[in-house]
Amino acid sequence: MPNNFALGNGKPWSRRQLLQLGLAGAGVTGAAGLWQMLNLQSKSTVKVPPLNIEAPDDATNPMKMLRDFDYGTVKQENGRTIREFQLTAGTSIIKLNSAVSYNIWDLNGRIPGPTLRAKQGDRIRVLFLNNAGHSHSLHFHGVHPAEMDGVRPISNGSATIYEFDAEPYGVHLYHCHIEPVTRHIAKGLYGMFIIDPPTPRPPADEIVLVMGGYDVNDDSHNDYYAFNGLPHYYMHHPIGIYKDQLIRLYVLNIIEYDPAVTFHLHANFFDVYRYGMTMTPSEKADVITMGVAERHILEFAFRYPGKYMFHPHQDAIAENGCMGQFEVLAEKNSQNPVKHS
Amino acid sequence: MIKLRYICLAAAATLIVTLSSCSSTPTAENPSAPVASPPATEAVSNNSHSGHSSKEKININTAILSELDKFEGKLGVPALSNKIQANRPYGSPEDLVTKKVITQEQFDQIKDQVGVQEVVLTGEAKDVDYMSKLGLMKGHLLVARELLDQNQPKQAEPHIGHPVEEIYVDVEDQLNERKVKEFKTTLVSLQDLVKSSPKDSKVKTSFTSSVQAVDGAIAALPEAQRSKPGFTLQVINELLDSANSEYRAAIADGKITAPIEYQDSRGFVFYANELYKGISSQVAQADPEAHKAIDTSFAELIKVWPAAIPPAKAVKTPNDVTKLVKTIEENSQKVVDKSNTQAQR
């Protein structure tokens, strides 16, 4: 579900809206509801350009995936808050370019799978259904008991339930863990899993970028690369952001077969929050090296309008699709200059 | 301006805390919309999830169709088994109601028998599951054999690997109780061999012992059971279901772009066909019409995989294959139902 509705208007909330929320909040359980509301409130100060999202016609929709977070369904059981997610593995076809179609395994009809988002300490329940032929599974990064580790194959047509506590906070991921894991991941069974810290991070325009690779002829060598599923997409459709707006990038490298890639941002430096597991940055950089499954939070703001590329500095990988650009827009009434990197 | 907002926020927050402390109604959060209105369907407390399941329960997330038939029979809802299967996954038994598969009243009649927890399969369901897993292994090995014979060890290798990587763990626990010797070592050494020295003469003997091992595991099921149409048809449909998904994963724009999945589906369909040949005369006797439909569909299906090395163009679309598979499933179900009613008499 896109969050753009809450982010889009950029107007502070009216007293009336807040009261409505308060009344509707009768059913919302204290802490979790309050946290969500604080998040909403803080996000309402964030400026996000309106998105021109084309109607999704297949499993790829990079523009929609940028700011799309799945918070699951919240249930109460035995006095505990359970955050329930549903993930179904299926099969679909994507067009890597005008000439090449490729069969992927998708999660909930998309590649990468939904960006799941919870708060530290939530009880997570993931209902996983496998409709993708081979046996598959979901293995979550994080801390949990062995039986919830998601390495047991779930056969075609059957479902299973993974349940564990969301800890520790950070940017994590989930993926299929059936051998050959390289192939099961590279064909699409992965997604980002964000656990928010107990105290929310400062307001920012939050963007998800997942780097993936495609081995179209099964020779254990990638032929194409992409941010959020589709090669070169953000080169042709730059990601709009506002000048001086704090951007919080959640970046994951899930490129199989290449041992490591970097992430490089043009004409700027970013603050690095390694694995998203701290509230203070460890360093400032314009290139950061990421091994397979490494992921970080990168924060920055652009001072000057214009288009700025981002890509791995393994240029061959960039040239084969893992490349995009931000389009920094000058805002008319910019009243909240946040931070210059 | 900002100050005023924080005051409002604080007031609203207090209101929420106050109200929620005297209300225990659970609800759903919807962070994308500023107004959190609880959908009625979520206002159900699902305490059963953590409850212990009794022996009688059927796991609606994993049960095969004939197991789900118990609910279909009890509630008298046609095609309920397929509907339950189509609406997976379920987080709790009550999801049958929230997902509108059945009504609350119907649910009340069966709720004691419904579970979502991993259950230990028993009786026929357990045997069908066991046999289906071994059937998938047979399918993989069948197509691996063809590829080895055509001197394509690289293409054969994944089909030798899949039985171990995807399936073995599911039958492993049962081997002891069924008095079957472990055969993981056998499968793994064959894989090692094909990977590292595919031209070695040992490949042939290693392959033979792998096939024998799987056959031996199948033979742990009594012959009488394996020759029963009601039993074997369930296995056949499990195999065809996987084959159907694999075939869909192999085709893009009418071309076979993923040979591994094409070959997997070939192996499963061919082995399913082999199994059907063993029971076809009995099916023909019990239900001639069902037999005719199954027989014709199999003949059509087989044509989709003319060789182990995929043709340039797909013979049939995934939708056409799905249709044939569904026809076999529906007609099988009639035979399975009949044999179940007979067994109850």
Side-chain angles (χ1 to χ4, degrees):
Chain A
M1 212 180 291
N3 234 353
N4 303 322
F5 182 62
L7 301 173
N9 59 21
K11 276 183 287 187
W13 286 14
S14 71
R15 184 191 170 83
R16 191 180 140 80
Q17 276 174 310
L18 280 173
L19 279 174
Q20 273 174 348
L21 185 74
L23 290 170
V28 179
T29 34
L34 187 57
W35 165 68
Q36 209 76 63
M37 212 188 77
L38 278 166
N39 264 8
L40 278 177
Q41 167 61 18
S42 57
K43 276 176 191 162
S44 69
T45 63
V46 174
K47 310 273 194 259
V48 178
L51 286 184
N52 185 14
I53 297 176
E54 294 156 33
D57 53 350
D58 64 8
T60 51
N61 196 340
M63 203 46 89
K64 185 172 175 290
M65 282 168 196
L66 284 174
R67 299 174 174 100
D68 190 15
F69 300 99
D70 182 348
Y71 291 86
T73 306
V74 173
K75 293 182 173 177
Q76 292 298 312
E77 284 177 25
N78 303 326
R80 267 210 90 165
T81 303
I82 314 261
R83 197 172 287 273
E84 188 175 291
F85 298 98
Q86 296 210 3
L87 286 172
T88 299
T91 57
S92 46
I93 299 159
I94 61 169
K95 272 192 105 56
L96 294 174
N97 62 33
S98 58
V100 178
S101 293
Y102 181 58
N103 297 88
I104 58 149
W105 293 319
D106 64 71
L107 285 162
N108 292 5
R110 49 172 275 175
I111 180 171
T115 300
L116 308 183
R117 194 154 182 182
K119 191 194 172 196
Q120 179 170 288
D122 283 348
R123 185 74 169 171
I124 305 291
R125 179 179 299 154
V126 180
L127 314 185
F128 173 57
L129 170 64
N130 175 18
N131 272 340
H134 288 267
S135 289
H136 295 298
S137 74
L138 288 181
H139 160 73
F140 281 78
H141 285 221
V143 177
H144 47 244
E147 59 270 23
M148 290 301 147
D149 203 35
V151 293
R152 199 172 58 80
I154 305 303
S155 57
N156 177 62
S158 58
T160 196
I161 299 172
Y162 301 111
E163 195 169 315
F164 48 86
D165 293 334
E167 60 178 342
Y169 78 77
V171 195
H172 307 309
L173 69 153
Y174 60 90
H175 59 86
C176 175
H177 212 299
I178 303 304
E179 289 176 69
V181 179
T182 39
R183 187 168 191 260
H184 284 244
I185 289 181
K187 274 179 87 77
L189 298 176
Y190 56 84
M192 193 180 271
F193 174 41
I194 299 172
I195 302 179
D196 283 310
T199 313
R201 295 177 192 280
D205 178 2
E206 299 196 316
I207 291 174
V208 171
L209 289 178
V210 179
M211 297 188 267
Y214 293 109
D215 166 20
V216 298
N217 51 2
D218 282 313
D219 66 350
S220 303
H221 175 86
N222 288 316
D223 308 289
Y224 300 93
Y225 299 87
F227 280 106
N228 292 349
L230 217 51
H232 296 297
Y233 184 85
Y234 298 123
M235 276 310 285
H236 305 305
H237 307 81
I239 303 167
I241 57 174
Y242 279 123
K243 172 174 136 23
D244 293 329
Q245 167 64 52
L246 174 64
I247 307 297
R248 179 171 298 126
L249 278 192
Y250 293 88
V251 186
L252 163 66
N253 168 28
I254 194 71
I255 298 174
E256 289 287 354
Y257 308 117
D258 297 281
V261 296
T262 58
F263 179 87
H264 168 54
L265 180 64
H266 278 215
N268 213 335
F269 280 79
F270 43 74
D271 284 331
V272 179
Y273 299 76
R274 290 198 159 266
Y275 296 88
M277 289 176 77
T278 59
M279 300 300 279
T280 47
S282 59
E283 69 215 84
K284 209 178 255 294
D286 63 353
V287 176
I288 183 162
T289 306
M290 301 172 81
V292 184
E294 281 202 271
R295 63 279 174 189
H296 304 300
I297 290 177
L298 310 180
E299 285 187 358
F300 54 88
F302 272 95
R303 213 182 287 181
Y304 309 111
K307 287 182 183 170
Y308 302 95
M309 288 170 71
F310 57 86
H311 56 84
H313 226 301
Q314 287 70 12
D315 299 306
I317 289 176
E319 283 154 10
N320 282 308
C322 205
M323 188 152 54
Q325 52 186 344
F326 288 110
E327 182 164 11
V328 180
L329 308 164
E331 211 205 339
K332 284 167 211 153
N333 318 310
S334 184
Q335 32 169 277
N336 283 332
V338 184
K339 128 185 199 183
H340 291 288
S341 288
Chain B
M1 177 66 197
I2 287 174
K3 244 186 198 165
L4 177 67
R5 252 160 52 209
Y6 283 126
I7 294 167
C8 287
L9 176 66
T14 319
L15 191 58
I16 287 175
V17 172
T18 318
L19 287 171
S20 61
S21 62
C22 56
S23 158
S24 61
T25 320
T27 184
E29 281 176 39
N30 189 351
S32 67
V35 178
S37 63
T41 48
E42 298 301 343
V44 182
S45 183
N46 299 325
N47 290 321
S48 52
H49 185 79
S50 48
H52 295 285
S53 51
S54 77
K55 264 185 254 163
E56 316 269 304
K57 286 189 178 170
I58 290 171
N59 183 345
I60 46 177
N61 278 329
T62 54
I64 55 178
L65 282 176
S66 55
E67 260 192 299
L68 298 172
D69 282 350
K70 284 183 194 155
F71 301 134
E72 187 169 318
K74 183 152 185 179
L75 299 175
V77 180
L80 178 62
S81 304
N82 295 77
K83 206 173 162 193
I84 293 176
Q85 203 184 45
N87 281 281
R88 284 173 180 170
Y90 302 98
S92 66
E94 286 82 359
D95 277 356
L96 281 173
V97 181
T98 50
K99 288 190 161 191
K100 298 198 166 65
V101 178
I102 52 174
T103 65
Q104 182 67 47
E105 280 169 4
Q106 289 169 330
F107 178 70
D108 290 339
Q109 292 177 53
I110 59 165
K111 66 179 171 195
D112 295 341
Q113 301 161 49
V114 186
V116 292
Q117 303 289 67
E118 302 286 332
V119 289
V120 180
L121 293 175
T122 53
E124 193 183 50
K126 182 179 177 178
D127 293 343
V128 169
D129 182 66
Y130 176 76
M131 175 79 188
S132 304
K133 300 278 157 61
L134 295 167
L136 292 171
M137 288 192 191
K138 285 285 285 184
H140 282 303
L141 291 177
L142 193 147
V143 79
R145 178 61 184 261
E146 292 184 301
L147 291 163
L148 283 177
D149 286 348
Q150 293 174 45
N151 205 16
Q152 301 285 349
K154 268 212 173 111
Q155 288 200 51
E157 196 269 321
H159 306 293
I160 291 164
H162 289 165
V164 191
E165 293 153 355
E166 301 180 348
I167 311 169
Y168 191 85
V169 66
D170 275 339
V171 294
E172 199 165 19
D173 292 343
Q174 299 183 47
L175 296 181
N176 244 341
E177 60 184 273
R178 293 183 191 266
K179 297 194 176 64
V180 177
K181 210 175 133 236
E182 74 83 29
F183 56 97
K184 191 176 180 175
T185 325
T186 315
L187 293 174
V188 170
S189 45
L190 173 63
Q191 192 186 7
D192 290 345
L193 205 56
V194 173
K195 241 187 199 167
S196 52
S197 46
K199 296 220 167 109
D200 197 313
S201 60
K202 273 189 269 172
V203 170
K204 211 160 218 175
T205 47
S206 179
F207 193 92
T208 311
S209 16
S210 290
V211 174
Q212 280 170 352
V214 180
D215 286 338
I218 290 173
L221 291 168
E223 168 78 37
Q225 183 168 19
R226 281 184 285 127
S227 57
K228 226 176 74 187
F231 176 80
T232 304
L233 282 169
Q234 293 180 55
V235 175
I236 287 172
N237 284 295
E238 291 287 307
L239 296 174
L240 292 182
D241 192 35
S242 291
N244 190 25
S245 299
E246 299 276 21
Y247 187 69
R248 191 166 288 276
I251 313 268
D253 297 340
K255 282 186 228 126
I256 293 150
T257 54
I260 295 180
E261 278 67 41
Y262 165 90
Q263 287 156 353
D264 279 342
S265 50
R266 173 181 170 91
F268 301 160
V269 167
F270 277 53
Y271 184 61
N273 189 42
E274 213 173 279
L275 285 177
Y276 188 68
K277 279 186 196 144
I279 54 161
S280 64
S281 60
Q282 291 182 72
V283 178
Q285 225 170 11
D287 192 333
E289 260 178 60
H291 165 69
K292 204 178 159 210
I294 295 171
D295 200 43
T296 327
S297 304
F298 257 125
E300 278 298 297
L301 258 188
I302 294 290
K303 291 184 198 157
V304 179
W305 294 267
I309 308 283
K313 205 174 158 284
V315 173
K316 279 190 195 299
T317 66
N319 284 348
D320 287 339
V321 168
T322 300
K323 249 184 242 161
L324 291 170
V325 167
K326 289 287 156 202
T327 308
I328 295 178
E329 184 190 299
E330 279 157 25
N331 285 282
S332 301
Q333 206 56 39
K334 290 179 202 160
V335 181
V336 174
D337 289 346
K338 245 186 219 169
S339 73
N340 280 349
T341 2
Q342 271 162 8
Q344 277 160 18
R345 266 178 210 149

